[in-house]
Amino acid sequence: MDAFKDRLSQRARDTSRPALAHQSRGRALTQAEAGFAAALMDIYRTGTHDFGAVAAELSRRAVAAPRSGSADWSVALLEAELSGINAELDAAYAEHGYGA
């Protein structure tokens, strides 16, 4: 059991929004962000965690960066994309709150 996740679920039910019981973003991911996230999870699942190796694998797979559209990944691009997406999600959360 995850007490934090359980508390978020209860909070969603308390606000009459049970469909959002496990949602914690202020907006949905774009299709490009979701594809990027899926690629990252697939790469991490192989045991690859070093940013240089992750960037090389994203390039090999020709995954388009959600913000820039580039498929020529480097550590700098990976860091910029992750930072930019996180900043956008943080801003959406600040504007719309949890479960928006």
Side-chain angles (χ1 to χ4, degrees):
M1 294 298 255
D2 183 333
F4 181 71
K5 188 173 182 180
D6 292 342
R7 177 66 183 114
L8 288 176
S9 296
Q10 184 59 48
R11 175 77 173 121
R13 282 189 286 278
D14 291 347
T15 60
S16 300
R17 295 168 70 182
L20 300 175
H22 300 289
Q23 185 93 2
S24 60
R25 293 187 297 256
R27 65 163 177 83
L29 295 179
T30 66
Q31 186 175 0
E33 290 167 345
F36 175 51
L40 285 176
M41 293 307 295
D42 192 46
I43 293 167
Y44 292 149
R45 199 174 358 268
T46 69
T48 303
H49 297 99
D50 173 78
F51 266 25
V54 170
E57 184 61 17
L58 288 167
S59 288
R60 189 189 72 73
R61 294 178 184 205
V63 174
R67 300 178 76 237
S68 70
S70 176
D72 186 21
W73 289 89
S74 65
V75 171
L77 178 60
L78 181 56
E79 290 174 348
E81 289 287 329
L82 289 172
S83 294
I85 292 167
N86 285 334
E88 290 172 7
L89 290 172
D90 286 348
Y93 182 86
E95 182 178 347
H96 304 291
Y98 140 88

